[in-house]
Amino acid sequence: MKIRHILLSSAMLLLASCGQQHKAESVVEDFMENNLKDASALQIVEYSDIDSTRYLNDSIINKLRNTAKNSSMYAGRTEFAQRNKDENLIIIRVRYKINGQDFHDTFYLNKEMTGVIALKNN
C-alpha cells in the first residue's frame, strides 16, 4: 500500500512538471511568433528544462529588455510582461533557427508563466 502511494505521488509530480514545461514552451513560442521580425521563418529546435532564479533585479531586467528591443531580431514594439516585486522568475533556454541560422536565447517568465519578463540573446 505504501509503495502504491509513493508511485502515485511520483506520477502526479511528473505530470505536473510536464504541464509546467509545456506551458513555458507555449508562452515563449507565442512571444517569439508575435515579436520576431521574421517569425514566419522560425523553427524551434530545442527547449531546455525550466528552472527558476531570484538573481535578476529591475536594473538588469530593464537592460535585457532594451537590448532585445534594439536588436535586429525583435521588433522595437516588443511588449514584456510586468514582474511582481521580488518574485522568482522561470528560466527557459531555447535553441532555434531562422532561415537556417542558429540562435540560442534565454527567456525569463513570470512565476505564473503567463508572460515573458525579459530575454537574453546568447
Side-chain angles (χ1 to χ4, degrees), residues 25-38:
E25 291 173 8
S26 178
V27 167
V28 168
E29 187 171 349
D30 288 347
F31 179 87
M32 293 175 80
E33 287 176 355
N34 291 328
N35 293 292
L36 281 171
K37 287 182 179 175
D38 194 9

Side-chain angles (χ1 to χ4, degrees), residues 11-114:
M12 290 177 68
L13 283 173
L14 180 63
L15 289 174
S17 66
C18 288
Q20 290 180 327
Q21 180 73 29
H22 178 73
K23 186 175 182 180
E25 291 173 8
S26 178
V27 167
V28 168
E29 187 171 349
D30 288 347
F31 179 87
M32 293 175 80
E33 287 176 355
N34 291 328
N35 293 292
L36 281 171
K37 287 182 179 175
D38 194 9
S40 64
L42 173 66
Q43 176 190 2
I44 301 214
V45 175
E46 179 181 38
Y47 289 101
S48 70
D49 290 339
I50 59 173
D51 202 352
S52 65
T53 185
R54 292 186 60 85
Y55 297 112
L56 263 67
N57 60 33
D58 291 340
S59 176
I60 294 170
I61 289 171
N62 287 332
K63 185 173 182 172
L64 290 172
R65 287 175 174 179
N66 287 333
T67 300
K69 286 181 179 183
N70 293 323
S71 79
S72 61
M73 297 288 298
Y74 288 90
R77 60 169 169 43
T78 301
E79 292 291 324
F80 292 97
Q82 294 302 310
R83 177 187 188 191
N84 295 327
K85 194 74 172 159
D86 297 325
E87 89 176 325
N88 285 350
L89 298 178
I90 305 300
I91 303 170
I92 187 167
R93 290 171 187 83
V94 182
R95 190 165 67 97
Y96 61 98
K97 292 182 179 201
I98 295 180
N99 296 323
Q101 188 175 359
D102 287 317
F103 297 95
H104 304 267
D105 292 349
T106 303
F107 289 81
Y108 301 91
L109 284 62
N110 57 9
K111 185 178 174 182
E112 298 81 20
M113 290 187 276
T114 57

